[in-house]
Amino acid sequence: GENVEQHPSTLSVQEGDSAVIKCTYSDSASNYFPWYKQELGKRPQLIIDIRSNVGEKKDQRIAVTLNKTAKHFSLHITETQPEDSAVYFCAENTGFQKLVFGTGTRLLVSP
Amino acid sequence: GAGVSQSPSNKVTEKGKDVELRCDPISGHTALYWYRQSLGQGLEFLIYFQGNSAPDKSGLPSDRFSAERTGGSVSTLTIQRTQQEDSAVYLCASSLAGGADGELFFGEGSRLTVL
């Protein structure tokens, strides 16, 4: 089936703290897992992605980890800043080559 | 244009009317996706095109929804006999290649309000 569970739905942190968002997928054929950030009133934009042949990928303050055995992947943001406040969506490409998104996590970083 | 263009940006219609939403993808992008985002909700997959073909229409909510793509470029999403539950932002995205294993570039969306 095609279902991406995403947790938590909301996350509040203090500036400088770390934030972790987790997703669980069900399609074992999926091999591409991107994360999109949507600021208020804006379009979603890709921030990082990972393919199934690697377990971790980093880009400055953000990182994504993938556990194919457990079928879950996570977004890690370190040293959070107020401009990180947004809704974050995980996604998987299903065997039918479409991108299915999670339900989103609203991250609020307080100064 | 430089990005994905959608029109209209806002549409207010009366229940029962038909509406047509347009998406102009980035030139050269073969894959095109339609998603629906209700207020404060996630991105609900509707349909995707590879060229002019739609291999997966499973996300269309009902037979009132249809979409087409011509010339491997512009796509239109048509909603017939609109209902209040159709109110949402309709997002279009395009990608350089199919397979959903590359970046999707989203448009600004078309906000539909059905009164």
Side-chain angles (χ1 to χ4, degrees):
Chain A
E2 303 159 2
N3 186 27
V4 184
E5 295 184 6
Q6 184 170 349
H7 300 282
S9 57
T10 59
L11 179 59
S12 294
V13 300
Q14 291 292 122
E15 182 177 0
D17 288 349
S18 295
V20 180
I21 303 170
K22 299 180 180 180
C23 287
T24 303
Y25 64 97
S26 56
D27 190 342
S28 57
S30 297
N31 59 8
Y32 175 67
F33 307 92
W35 286 88
Y36 282 76
K37 175 183 180 182
Q38 186 176 30
E39 297 179 1
L40 188 62
K42 300 288 183 64
R43 69 189 82 186
Q45 291 188 301
L46 178 71
I47 56 170
I48 194 168
D49 56 18
I50 191 168
R51 300 182 190 277
S52 58
N53 57 346
V54 297
E56 183 176 9
K57 183 177 179 180
K58 290 183 180 180
D59 182 4
Q60 300 182 351
R61 294 187 298 107
I62 60 175
V64 58
T65 59
L66 172 65
N67 183 327
K68 287 214 74 177
T69 302
K71 292 184 183 173
H72 63 72
F73 56 112
S74 301
L75 177 71
H76 305 253
I77 306 174
T78 58
E79 301 173 30
T80 54
Q81 301 168 2
E83 51 264 38
D84 294 331
S85 297
V87 179
Y88 292 81
F89 293 98
C90 62
E92 64 162 325
N93 69 332
T94 71
F96 291 100
Q97 301 186 342
K98 70 187 185 190
L99 208 59
V100 176
F101 286 86
T103 49
T105 296
R106 185 173 300 278
L107 174 65
L108 177 62
V109 182
S110 302
Chain B
V4 177
S5 178
Q6 291 188 246
S7 61
S9 55
N10 278 286
K11 176 71 176 180
V12 181
T13 190
E14 294 180 346
K15 177 181 174 181
K17 301 280 189 176
D18 296 352
V19 297
E20 198 170 271
L21 308 177
R22 175 190 169 105
C23 174
D24 202 340
I26 294 173
S27 178
H29 281 195
T30 60
L32 185 148
Y33 301 80
W34 283 99
Y35 291 88
R36 179 168 71 175
Q37 187 170 35
S38 300
L39 186 62
Q41 300 300 308
L43 299 166
E44 177 188 5
F45 171 83
L46 297 179
I47 188 171
Y48 96 97
F49 291 89
Q50 181 58 40
N52 292 333
S53 301
D56 191 334
K57 303 179 182 179
S58 64
L60 294 177
S62 73
D63 59 8
R64 297 186 295 105
F65 288 72
S66 63
E68 66 174 14
R69 189 179 185 194
T70 56
S73 182
V74 172
S75 175
T76 55
L77 177 68
T78 302
I79 309 173
Q80 296 179 308
R81 305 181 301 281
T82 52
Q83 303 294 313
Q84 289 183 334
E85 60 263 30
D86 299 335
S87 296
V89 176
Y90 290 82
L91 288 164
C92 174
S94 70
S95 179
L96 184 58
D101 58 1
E103 183 172 3
L104 262 61
F105 294 86
F106 283 86
E108 296 281 7
S110 291
R111 181 178 298 277
L112 174 65
T113 303
V114 182
L115 301 177

